[in-house]
Amino acid sequence: MKQYIESFTFPDGDKEFDFLLKIKRKCYDSFYPFKILSKAGLIGLDFEPVTILYGGNGSGKTTALNIIAESLGLNRESVYNRSNFFEDYTGMCSYSILDEVPETSRIITSDDVFDYMLNIRMLNLGIDDKRDELLGEYLEYKHASFKMKSLDDYEELKKNNLSKSKTQSMYVRKRVMDNVITKSNGESGFMYFTSHIKDNGLYLLDEPENSLSPDKQMELMAFIEDSVRFFGCQFIISTHSPFLLSMKYSKIYDMDAKPAKVTKWTDLDNVRRYYHFFKEREDEFS
């Protein structure tokens, strides 16, 4: 299985302190991302074909992904939280690669998927408006007599003939593209991942389970596993989805632990909570 990046090192608390000590006194709103990962005890990551960063809100897992993506110059769509000190911080990071990171590599965030679904919704709104317009057009041509007087009337003739040979729904379907309108938010979100993850690439995914049903999360898990095993991809993922945490070929860093440490997915607090919840209600499933 392919690996592009082998390890990544973040500055420790001492290095951060030395840097911040040299800064001239000014009114800064934030020193982000300083003191985020060092506070979590995350100094370095050693990667596998799939590396998962697990942790609750504020654990720093999204920050870590953004730092890695920025350091490697990965493609991205949505803007992200950064400060005057972001480049200073990434300049203090280091990494080791096993092979050149392909140009197709990218970071995919929840905002990317949300914006994509929102665009589809707006497109669907336009299609709905067009459908209403075409329903009126159908009725107009269906009951109108028409004579072609010149070649300029050819398009009108086609519409007239189409209205008389098709049902109302078939007429509208023929006249408007409606392939995206049948997809739910979850299906659209899943489609975003499958269309943006190409062969032979390094992909950073920030909480990809958002907007995905359990079925779609399991489909995404299988898609990622196949991408790793057969199509030369490597993944670094932040998640607390038990489905994705159970993924093959993965190493999991528990960023809720202090310091962050490698942990089996079945020992993670979030997964154990699910386990005990269903175990206590086991008789209700029989």
Side-chain angles (χ1 to χ4, degrees):
M1 289 178 286
K2 191 73 174 178
Q3 277 189 243
Y4 301 98
I5 184 167
E6 180 181 35
S7 62
F8 195 96
T9 303
F10 306 96
D12 60 23
D14 291 338
K15 290 181 179 178
E16 290 183 325
F17 179 79
D18 290 341
F19 174 82
L20 295 174
L21 200 62
K22 298 174 185 177
I23 298 174
K24 296 180 180 179
R25 288 187 175 273
K26 289 184 179 180
C27 293
Y28 292 109
D29 293 332
S30 171
F31 291 100
Y32 179 85
F34 284 88
K35 299 182 178 181
I36 301 295
L37 300 181
S38 59
K39 182 179 178 181
L42 185 66
I43 304 303
L45 295 169
D46 294 315
F47 299 108
E48 295 292 334
V50 178
T51 303
I52 296 177
L53 307 182
Y54 161 88
N57 294 334
S59 63
K61 59 187 186 297
T62 296
T63 296
L65 285 188
N66 282 325
I67 290 168
I68 295 169
E70 185 73 10
S71 298
L72 296 175
L74 301 188
N75 296 312
R76 69 183 308 139
E77 291 186 4
S78 298
V79 296
Y80 62 101
N81 183 24
R82 58 183 298 157
S83 70
N84 295 320
F85 299 101
F86 203 93
E87 291 182 3
D88 294 309
Y89 186 92
T90 56
M92 299 170 67
C93 298
S94 61
Y95 55 86
S96 172
I97 60 173
L98 297 171
D99 202 349
E100 184 177 356
V101 177
E103 293 183 1
T104 54
S105 301
R106 66 189 305 116
I107 178 172
I108 298 176
T109 70
S110 299
D111 286 342
D112 297 334
V113 180
F114 177 78
D115 288 345
Y116 177 75
M117 292 190 299
L118 186 60
N119 288 338
I120 286 181
R121 187 172 297 176
M122 294 304 294
L123 176 61
N124 287 347
L125 179 61
I127 289 175
D128 284 340
D129 291 343
K130 184 65 174 177
R131 180 185 284 112
D132 293 340
E133 178 186 327
L134 288 173
L135 288 174
E137 181 181 286
Y138 171 84
L139 294 174
E140 178 183 343
Y141 284 109
K142 182 75 173 179
H143 302 292
S145 58
F146 180 80
K147 289 185 179 181
M148 184 174 174
K149 299 177 181 178
S150 70
L151 288 177
D152 293 336
D153 297 328
Y154 180 66
E155 287 299 323
E156 295 296 306
L157 177 65
K158 287 200 299 182
K159 294 177 186 177
N160 187 271
N161 291 339
L162 184 65
S163 69
K164 289 179 169 53
S165 64
K166 303 289 185 184
T167 64
Q168 190 177 53
S169 61
M170 291 175 66
Y171 178 88
V172 172
R173 191 176 298 118
K174 184 75 174 177
R175 296 269 286 121
V176 68
M177 295 293 290
D178 63 349
N179 58 310
V180 293
I181 206 164
T182 60
K183 297 187 183 299
S184 67
N185 281 346
E187 290 171 324
S188 298
F190 179 73
M191 186 171 67
Y192 183 90
F193 289 106
T194 58
S195 63
H196 283 74
I197 295 174
K198 311 294 184 183
D199 297 356
N200 305 309
L202 170 65
Y203 295 97
L204 278 56
L205 311 182
D206 185 20
E207 298 189 357
E209 68 270 20
N210 289 348
S211 301
L212 297 183
S213 67
D215 282 345
K216 287 302 174 186
Q217 290 182 48
M218 294 181 69
E219 283 188 49
L220 180 61
M221 177 184 69
F223 175 78
I224 292 173
E225 290 175 345
D226 287 346
S227 298
V228 167
R229 186 177 180 186
F230 301 112
F231 301 106
C233 292
Q234 182 182 8
F235 291 86
I236 306 171
I237 304 169
S238 75
T239 185
H240 37 70
S241 162
F243 302 104
L244 300 181
L245 288 165
S246 69
M247 205 177 312
K248 298 175 184 176
Y249 324 119
S250 63
K251 173 189 281 189
I252 300 171
Y253 283 88
D254 181 2
M255 296 181 64
D256 282 342
K258 298 293 183 288
K261 63 179 181 179
V262 176
T263 307
K264 294 192 303 181
W265 78 278
T266 50
D267 289 337
L268 295 169
D269 181 65
N270 191 48
V271 175
R272 300 297 294 181
R273 286 177 183 270
Y274 277 112
Y275 172 78
H276 290 301
F277 177 85
F278 288 112
K279 192 69 175 175
E280 290 170 0
R281 296 159 177 79
E282 188 174 14
D283 59 328
E284 298 182 33
F285 289 89
S286 59

